[in-house]
């Protein structure tokens, strides 16, 4: 088919390679659009930059969620199901593609799956990096150029037709999701399903972190969200203790205490992690701090101290046994 100006959008041209079926889908706000894409340079070889089929993972975006490469919403909204089309996009639309491509490649390499969906403005992030870690993307970032996107539209789902992930929620929906995720995490923890509980706590934390970016640090609403985040992090740490990931517990609890040194539960969980990695002095110091901050936890603290003393005694007996064996 002939190349034509797409929907009167400056700097975009479309060529339909394979016609789709039916009418244009209803691309309402919140719809999830799934598609395969190939990104190419406008050189003689049509050098391929990225190809979702080679990765083995179709791409999904949510309409209206400020996707980093906004032009993709425009391109997709012109397509029918099953359609394959080639879009030429001028530099005014492709400047942020290197950042998006970096995220997609990290996912393919198993490094950072959360970066499949980057929905905040990337300009500040873009210039914060001296290198993107990929030579071809660094070149593309330094010298932006027109790109060709070959897209196949696979599916369009209305908001009610799929389970929305937390990154796709608006602010009000995020706030409503937090107590639900928190409660679900608690339920799973009681059932001993610690991996699943940890995931629920992480999702709730992500919702609150996103909301917190819209508040002024240390003001009332920000502090309220910070308190909720810390509670969820400590619940997450309880999952980590059950999974015997003690050093991660030390990292998270120490981070909380750097900013909020009066958090008794953080000292308590850190003490338990210290005890597990044989940091006896640190464990005792943290348990003493718990008593100082929260006398009502005395029984739990004394139990942990007794466990610590018992383990130390067992360790000393084992060392004596080894010495006798060596001398025997």
């Amino acid at each position: 088919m002939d190349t034509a100006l797409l929907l009167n959008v400056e700097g975009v041209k479309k060529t339909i390679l394979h016609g789709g079926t039916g009418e244009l889908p209803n691309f309402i706000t919140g719809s999830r659009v799934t598609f395969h894409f190939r990104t190419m340079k406008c050189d003689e070889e049509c050098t391929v930059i990225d190809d979702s089929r080679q990765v083995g993972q179709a791409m999904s975006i949510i309409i209206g969620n400020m996707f980093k490469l906004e032009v993709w919403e425009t391109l997709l909204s012109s397509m029918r199901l099953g359609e394959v089309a080639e879009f030429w996009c001028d530099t005014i639309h492709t400047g942020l593609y290197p950042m998006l491509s970096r995220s997609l490649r990290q996912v393919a390499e198993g490094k950072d799956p959360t970066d499949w969906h980057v929905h905040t403005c990337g300009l500040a992030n873009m210039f914060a990096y001296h290198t993107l870690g990929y030579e071809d993307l660094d070149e593309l970032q330094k010298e932006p150029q027109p790109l060709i996107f070959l897209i196949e539209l696979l599916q369009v789902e209305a908001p009610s037709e799929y389970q929305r992930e937390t990154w796709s929620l608006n602010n009000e929906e995020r706030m409503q999701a937090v107590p639900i995720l928190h409660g679900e995490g608690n339920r799973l923890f009681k059932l001993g399903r610690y991996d699943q509980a940890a995931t629920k706590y992480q999702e709730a934390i992500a919702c609150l972190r996103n909301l917190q970016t819209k508040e002024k640090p240390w003001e009332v609403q920000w502090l309220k969200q910070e308190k909720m985040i810390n509670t969820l992090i400590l619940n997450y740490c309880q999952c980590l203790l059950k999974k015997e990931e003690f050093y991660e517990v030390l990292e998270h609890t120490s981070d909380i205490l750097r900013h909020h040194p009066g958090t008794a539960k953080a000292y308590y969980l850190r003490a338990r992690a210290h005890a597990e990695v044989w940091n006896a002095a640190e464990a005792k110091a943290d348990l003493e701090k718990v008593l100082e901050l929260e006398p009502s936890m005395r029984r739990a603290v004394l139990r942990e101290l007794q466990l610590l003393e018992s383990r130390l005694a067992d360790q000393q007996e084992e060392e004596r046994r080894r010495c006798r064996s060596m001398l025997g």
Side-chain angles (χ1 to χ4, degrees), residues 34-37 51-60 104 107-108 116-117 154:
T34 304
F35 59 99
H36 273 300
F37 74 95
D51 189 331
S52 64
R53 287 194 180 278
Q54 287 186 355
V55 173
Q57 173 73 56
M59 184 73 179
S60 293
L104 302 182
V107 171
W116 266 96
H117 306 286
L154 302 176

Side-chain angles (χ1 to χ4, degrees), residues 26-270:
N26 192 9
F27 293 92
I28 63 173
T29 298
S31 296
R32 181 168 69 180
V33 183
T34 304
F35 59 99
H36 273 300
F37 74 95
R38 182 188 300 154
T39 305
M40 298 171 285
K41 291 184 177 181
C42 297
D43 54 16
E44 291 183 6
E45 296 80 15
C46 289
T47 303
V48 175
I49 301 172
D50 294 299
D51 189 331
S52 64
R53 287 194 180 278
Q54 287 186 355
V55 173
Q57 173 73 56
M59 184 73 179
S60 293
I61 68 171
I62 306 299
I63 297 296
N65 260 44
M66 294 179 65
F67 186 73
K68 181 174 286 187
L69 204 67
E70 293 182 17
V71 72
W72 272 8
E73 282 195 18
T74 305
L75 309 184
L76 291 162
S77 297
S78 76
M79 300 181 71
R80 290 174 169 79
L81 291 176
E83 181 179 322
V84 180
E86 186 175 274
F87 299 89
W88 175 89
C89 294
D90 205 354
T91 309
I92 58 172
H93 300 293
T94 62
L96 291 178
Y97 185 79
M99 284 292 292
L100 172 63
S101 177
R102 174 181 178 270
S103 298
L104 302 182
R105 294 182 186 188
Q106 286 185 322
V107 171
E109 295 165 9
K111 291 181 180 178
D112 192 359
T114 59
D115 274 356
W116 266 96
H117 306 286
V118 183
H119 298 278
T120 54
C121 178
L123 284 173
N125 292 332
M126 186 175 182
F127 294 108
Y129 290 93
H130 295 295
T131 177
L132 295 173
Y134 302 92
E135 188 175 336
D136 61 333
L137 298 184
D138 286 339
E139 178 187 343
L140 202 59
Q141 180 174 299
K142 290 175 185 174
E143 298 181 15
Q145 56 190 268
L147 295 174
I148 296 170
F149 299 112
L150 179 66
I151 296 177
E152 178 185 0
L153 181 59
L154 302 176
Q155 189 176 34
V156 179
E157 300 166 280
S160 60
E161 294 175 340
Y162 67 95
Q163 173 134 14
R164 297 173 70 187
E165 297 177 56
T166 51
W167 58 262
S168 72
L169 304 177
N170 61 38
N171 290 344
E172 183 179 351
E173 290 169 331
R174 285 192 178 98
M175 202 65 240
Q176 293 171 350
V178 168
I180 296 172
L181 291 166
H182 191 169
E184 186 66 8
N186 291 348
R187 185 185 70 82
L188 291 165
F189 184 88
K190 289 175 183 176
L191 292 173
R193 292 155 65 178
Y194 304 120
D195 283 323
Q196 292 170 283
T199 297
K200 295 297 179 183
Y201 294 139
Q202 285 178 304
E203 289 179 12
I205 291 165
C207 285
L208 286 167
R209 290 287 191 209
N210 187 286
L211 290 168
Q212 201 179 38
T213 62
K214 298 166 177 63
E215 305 293 339
K216 291 185 179 180
W218 305 104
E219 291 197 352
V220 174
Q221 189 61 24
W222 188 94
L223 287 170
K224 181 180 178 181
Q225 292 166 352
E226 181 78 354
K227 185 176 180 180
M228 295 167 69
I229 288 168
N230 288 341
T231 297
L232 287 160
I233 290 174
L234 293 174
N235 286 5
Y236 175 66
C237 286
Q238 288 183 296
C239 297
L240 295 178
L241 283 172
K242 293 290 187 180
K243 294 162 64 179
E244 300 185 356
E245 296 178 17
F246 306 121
Y247 288 102
E248 191 173 346
V249 175
L250 293 176
E251 180 182 343
H252 288 303
T253 51
S254 295
D255 185 61
I256 288 176
L257 291 169
R258 272 192 293 273
H259 299 95
H260 307 281
T263 310
K265 188 176 179 181
Y267 280 111
Y268 179 71
L269 295 178
R270 191 172 73 171

